[in-house]
Amino acid sequence: GGTHACALAEELGMRRVLVPLACGVLSALGLALGGVRRDYLRALRGPLTEVDLTAAFAELTRTVQAAVGTADAAALTVERQVDCRYTGQSHELTIVAASACGLTESSGAVSASRVQAGFEAEHMRRYGHVAPDREVEVVAVRMVAALPGRRPRLTAPAADPAAVRGRRSVHLDGSWQEVDVVPRAALGPGDGVRGPAVIEFVEANCLVRSGWTAEVDAVGSLLLTRP
């Protein structure tokens, strides 16, 4: 959380720091709200000009359909990818063959020429050369299916009149000082605290050092600033 935010900012010469409302559990919150992605893979070995990419992707589409169900199929973002290499190479590159919104829209034919062009472009970008006279070999096909996560509307909660402020002895800069201790719930949009003070979140603490001020912004984050 924000325990060392002001001290780190001073070391870096920064004058503004944002401390999110859920600063102590922000990574967990991101995981809970993030999208869901699944990668499906099917081995497919052979020259690019000979393998049936469309049939291989049709099989993967049926696998994805069975896994996600009809309700989520229309909301999926689907990307079809091909792992390929020059024949004789020991490593391959993953090339995007097609992208679509919705599982039904991702069932069209896959162009080998598009994969070839994509492979050569990526090989040039990655290694600085291409070999047009060498055969391109497919190793596997992939389908990446993703569902978007929830995007909540962020608003600052109103101050809780029942939240009790207090004072506490805190060791700062080599000495003990009596400082204000403010529950985060006691602060609503636009409310501020002047340091030195401790702002107590449910899951973390924020130390507002001397010379700093904290103010709640419109989405509930603490904006820490110093002159």
Side-chain angles (χ1 to χ4, degrees), residues 99-150:
S99 301
C101 294
L103 195 56
T104 302
E105 296 181 15
S106 70
S107 58
V110 178
S111 167
S113 60
R114 178 176 176 177
V115 174
Q116 172 101 22
F119 171 77
E120 291 178 345
E122 180 62 12
H123 201 280
M124 175 62 77
R125 187 190 72 82
R126 187 81 64 89
Y127 304 117
H129 67 92
V130 293
D133 57 328
R134 294 182 63 181
E135 184 177 61
V136 175
E137 177 185 43
V138 173
V139 177
V141 292
R142 302 171 182 267
M143 183 170 283
V144 178
L147 281 172
R150 293 181 295 150

Side-chain angles (χ1 to χ4, degrees), residues 9 23 25 49 51 59 69 72 82 85 88 96 112 128 141 148 158 160 162 170 179 183 185 195 207:
C23 59
V25 291
T49 55
V51 297
E59 181 180 329
D72 290 331
V82 181
R85 63 192 181 190
V96 177
V141 292
D160 181 0
V170 176
V179 304
L207 173 61

